[in-house]
Amino acid sequence: MKLLLSSIISVGLLASQAIAFPRLNPKSLQELLKRGTESKECPFSHGNTRELTKRQFGFDPVAQRVSTDGKYAWKAPNLAAGDKRGPCPGLNALANHGYLPHNGIAPATAIIQAVNQVYGMALDLGGFLAAYGTVFDGDPLSLTPGYSIGGPASAGLGGVVNGLGITRTPPGLSGSHNNYEADTSSTRGDLYLVGNNDLLQIPFFQQYYDALLVDTPAPQQYSALFPFRQARFNYSIETNPYFFFPQFAGVLVAPAGFAFPPALMSNRSAQYPEGYLDKETFKSFFAVTGEPGNFKYQPGYERIPDNWYKRAIGHEYSIPTFLLDLLQFALKDPRLISVGGNTGTTNSFTGVDITALTKGVFNGATLAQGNNLQCFIFQLIQAEAPSVLTGVYEDLTKALKPLTDSIGGALAGLGCPQLAELDRSQYEKFPGWKKNPSGL
């Protein structure tokens, strides 16, 4: 299974080199945003552009249909008996439908395959996220490396975690604050404000719900979420003295809560081959029922709607595509890719000095240029992992191999400047980091 995990990640990273999406090009992205602003419309609203987009994506109702019956029929989790559900509604839904083990303890290979099969997430992005989750929050040394999509997994549970060479009980995604999960989530509360990081907060869900444009293609729906994304960031600054925005969980994962629903949960059709996230579908994926002002949330009950169709084959959601979505918002508000946090009081947000942190290798002013952001995030993770995970594994090099292989492939050919070490003292001013510096 370890060989299979490495093989899937390798295939995904090689495939990403051939995906028909552009490399990060902020200049072109800025021009696109400028055109949309000048016309008072999103570029997708123009008839000729929309028709071109529809032809590029295409729609195959047979290949794109996702089964929700038979062996994939929805089944409620038995949380009292130990089924795991956590902060990621997409993974929770996969477990409820049997695309992942129902107990929520999943091999990394199963996660990679399920997010590709059901959501159309490319193997490069799915492989990296699965490798990262396994190393930081699961057990990469098991015969079937993987992790819990919710809380801690006992040794041997589900055949994934066997406890050999690992000195702790893997925390799972619900125990991943500052390493996988972070503040400023789209629908979850900040850990030190609400006391947990995995339960949906109805007021935030309502804000997301209200921000979704009706009868609008998914790319335009995402663009329209920027005020909501910015408001959630400001809310953490204004209310959470321990707010901390780390390099992976903050800069990379927190934006996924805003980008993934339109990109991966919207329903495809001949009318909307690029996707449309209607509000009933949105509620279903987030385990919410009822009407605005009277929403009800049932933790762990996320469901894939019937008659639901995934992304077009050949247009899988890859690392470059996701980073373009991330940069679309960051170009409007650079704080959204700024590692930093509050310094012990509200409204004290301070960014980390990137030049000092990376000992001159990167400059915060140029992160949005070329491939710098991709190079910075992935190399920062690689440089920090040994310090963060020291003492967790008896053989750290062996444990880190799925992650280092994934990062090496993601950065291949980008010409990244080489980041050898970090000055982690730059984090000392942030109490939110000191409370949980490793997320473990």
Side-chain angles (χ1 to χ4, degrees):
M1 292 300 292
K2 289 182 180 178
L3 177 60
L4 179 57
L5 172 59
S6 299
S7 299
I8 289 178
I9 292 173
S10 298
V11 169
L13 292 167
L14 288 171
S16 74
Q17 306 297 322
I19 291 175
F21 290 104
R23 287 289 184 186
L24 301 185
N25 189 337
K27 181 179 180 181
S28 298
L29 188 56
Q30 285 173 321
E31 291 173 353
L32 178 66
L33 294 171
K34 182 180 179 182
R35 289 199 301 271
T37 301
E38 290 174 347
S39 67
K40 308 300 181 184
E41 298 179 279
C42 172
F44 283 97
S45 66
H46 296 290
N48 58 344
T49 305
R50 178 80 206 292
E51 288 305 313
L52 176 62
T53 302
K54 290 172 70 173
R55 289 196 299 272
Q56 287 175 334
F57 275 84
F59 176 65
D60 185 333
V62 176
Q64 291 176 239
R65 182 181 180 275
V66 173
S67 176
T68 55
D69 51 24
K71 67 178 182 178
Y72 297 121
W74 185 87
K75 179 182 177 183
N78 189 339
L79 302 178
D83 286 345
K84 307 297 182 183
R85 301 294 184 268
C88 179
L91 294 180
N92 293 345
L94 291 176
N96 290 339
H97 282 276
Y99 287 99
L100 291 178
H102 193 71
N103 66 6
I105 315 296
T109 51
I111 294 171
I112 297 168
Q113 292 166 342
V115 296
N116 176 264
Q117 176 185 354
V118 176
Y119 298 124
M121 179 179 286
L123 296 179
D124 65 333
L125 181 56
F128 171 72
L129 294 176
Y132 185 98
T134 297
V135 169
F136 278 87
D137 303 304
D139 184 357
L141 302 177
S142 168
L143 294 177
T144 50
Y147 56 90
S148 163
I149 66 174
S154 301
L157 183 57
V160 174
V161 183
N162 62 17
L164 297 177
I166 185 170
T167 63
R168 59 163 186 178
T169 297
L173 293 188
S174 294
S176 66
H177 188 66
N178 280 356
N179 76 46
Y180 206 113
E181 173 279 332
D183 298 329
T184 78
S185 165
S186 59
T187 61
R188 269 59 181 173
D190 289 5
L191 178 61
Y192 300 117
L193 289 182
V194 301
N196 71 78
N197 60 3
D198 57 352
L199 297 179
L200 178 143
Q201 304 297 309
I202 289 292
F204 301 146
F205 176 85
Q206 177 77 65
Q207 292 170 25
Y208 199 138
Y209 181 95
D210 291 342
L212 279 176
L213 297 181
V214 177
D215 298 330
T216 303
Q220 187 176 341
Q221 287 184 300
Y222 171 69
S223 297
L225 290 175
F226 173 72
F228 170 55
R229 179 28 182 157
Q230 191 176 52
R232 289 291 299 117
F233 194 87
N234 289 338
Y235 181 85
S236 291
I237 292 175
E238 295 164 0
T239 61
N240 183 3
Y242 301 117
F243 168 46
F244 182 62
F245 204 62
Q247 78 286 352
F248 175 74
V251 173
L252 198 65
V253 175
F258 301 84
F260 281 11
L264 299 174
M265 295 177 177
S266 60
N267 204 356
R268 271 70 186 181
S269 64
Q271 181 181 5
Y272 292 108
E274 67 274 70
Y276 165 50
L277 183 58
D278 68 88
K279 297 192 177 187
E280 289 302 311
T281 295
F282 182 58
K283 289 195 298 182
S284 180
F285 271 113
F286 281 78
V288 172
T289 56
E291 299 303 321
N294 192 34
F295 284 136
K296 303 295 182 186
Y297 166 56
Q298 191 158 10
Y301 276 54
E302 291 82 357
R303 181 192 294 259
I304 301 169
D306 294 333
N307 301 312
W308 187 82
Y309 298 84
K310 67 176 181 177
R311 289 180 69 93
I313 310 300
H315 285 269
E316 286 76 18
Y317 196 67
S318 64
I319 289 175
T321 316
F322 173 48
L323 291 178
L324 281 172
D325 280 345
L326 188 157
L327 277 172
Q328 181 183 155
F329 285 3
L331 288 171
K332 297 180 180 181
D333 187 344
R335 298 176 306 163
L336 302 180
I337 56 170
S338 298
V339 178
N342 279 340
T343 57
T345 60
T346 56
N347 294 306
S348 61
F349 182 83
T350 303
V352 170
D353 184 335
I354 298 301
T355 303
L357 176 66
T358 63
K359 299 188 175 182
V361 176
F362 289 97
N363 184 326
T366 61
L367 279 186
Q369 296 179 7
N371 294 307
N372 286 349
L373 181 63
Q374 186 169 348
C375 293
F376 169 71
I377 292 175
F378 285 96
Q379 286 201 90
L380 199 59
I381 294 167
Q382 191 168 33
E384 287 213 19
S387 296
V388 169
L389 295 170
T390 295
V392 172
Y393 301 109
E394 294 176 3
D395 187 338
L396 186 58
T397 300
K398 183 178 180 181
L400 287 175
K401 191 175 188 306
L403 183 64
T404 55
D405 287 350
S406 179
I407 290 175
L411 298 180
L414 296 187
C416 295
Q418 294 303 302
L419 178 61
E421 59 180 339
L422 300 173
D423 179 7
R424 300 184 89 225
S425 69
Q426 298 297 317
Y427 297 139
E428 291 295 328
K429 70 183 75 170
F430 304 110
W433 176 80
K434 289 195 289 187
K435 276 180 171 289
N436 205 23
S438 66
L440 304 180

